[in-house]
């Protein structure tokens, strides 16, 4: 295929320094908090709070809520996900829960059962747009209407 890369590694995976790895077959019971990127190829029974990126491999599973900067899911998640930036759900990924993110990419054949809420790219963007519309409406209502001759 022209222009298609056979490598499915995302930019998040290649750019982040992974500080914690939960390997295949490992089971972690409890909440996980990490200052660096985390890769999960085992099972987490609890909430995950990553200050940077979270990567869930094909064999990885999270039974709990997730908060992170970016998330890549190839495995399974049962819980709500709150992302500051981008969530990528690959074709082998399964999410059952609500997603809140600024950007969402879902591959064909991926499974998602829940609600998705998109956040603004800039927190003040919606407020600026709203105040701009209000000021235009105010100007229009203040302008004197001229009677048109018949």
């Amino acid at each position: 295929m022209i222009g298609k890369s056979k490598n499915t590694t995302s930019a998040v995976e290649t750019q982040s320094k992974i500080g914690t790895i939960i390997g295949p077959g490992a089971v972690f019971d409890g909440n996980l908090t990490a200052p660096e990127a985390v890769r999960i190829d085992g099972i987490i029974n609890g909430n995950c709070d990553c200050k940077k990126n979270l990567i869930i491999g094909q064999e990885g599973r999270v039974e709990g809520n997730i908060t992170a900067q970016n998330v890549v899911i190839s495995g399974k998640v049962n819980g709500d996900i709150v992302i500051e930036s981008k969530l990528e759900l690959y074709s082998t990924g399964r999410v059952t829960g609500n997603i809140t993110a600024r950007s969402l990419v879902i591959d064909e054949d991926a499974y998602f059962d829940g609600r998705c809420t998109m956040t603004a790219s800039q927190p003040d963007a919606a407020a600026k747009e709203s105040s701009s519309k209000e000021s235009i409406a105010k100007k229009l209502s203040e302008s004197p209407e001229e009677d048109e001759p018949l």
Side-chain angles (χ1 to χ4, degrees):
M1 286 188 257
I2 298 174
K4 285 268 189 176
S5 171
K6 291 183 181 181
N7 186 1
T8 60
T9 303
S10 76
V12 171
E13 288 182 85
T14 58
Q15 293 176 359
S16 63
K17 174 187 170 201
I18 298 176
T20 303
I21 298 174
I22 307 295
V27 178
F28 182 87
D29 291 320
N31 297 330
L32 175 67
T33 303
E36 301 256 343
V38 175
R39 179 173 177 101
I40 299 170
D41 290 310
I43 299 170
I44 303 275
N45 292 315
N47 299 329
C48 293
D49 181 13
C50 278
K51 301 303 177 201
K52 296 203 177 172
N53 302 324
L54 176 65
I55 301 163
I56 301 173
Q58 284 188 353
E59 301 301 316
R61 191 172 82 211
V62 176
E63 298 287 334
N65 299 329
I66 294 173
T67 56
Q69 186 175 17
N70 295 293
V71 174
V72 175
I73 301 172
S74 295
K76 298 177 183 176
V77 175
N78 289 319
D80 294 341
I81 304 172
V82 178
I83 306 302
E84 290 178 29
S85 190
K86 184 177 183 179
L87 184 140
E88 294 180 66
L89 183 58
Y90 288 170
S91 61
T92 57
R94 295 181 57 86
V95 173
T96 303
N98 300 322
I99 295 173
T100 301
R102 184 170 60 193
S103 177
L104 176 64
V105 177
I106 300 178
D107 283 353
E108 186 176 345
D109 294 330
Y111 177 85
F112 169 53
D113 182 13
R115 293 182 59 196
C116 180
T117 303
M118 303 301 287
T119 58
S121 59
Q122 296 176 353
D124 296 333
K128 286 179 183 177
E129 183 179 333
S130 176
S131 67
S132 174
K133 287 180 181 177
E134 288 173 6
S135 66
I136 290 171
K138 185 177 178 183
K139 286 179 184 178
L140 290 174
S141 66
E142 291 176 353
S143 64
E145 293 183 22
E146 296 179 13
D147 290 334
E148 291 184 21
L150 296 176

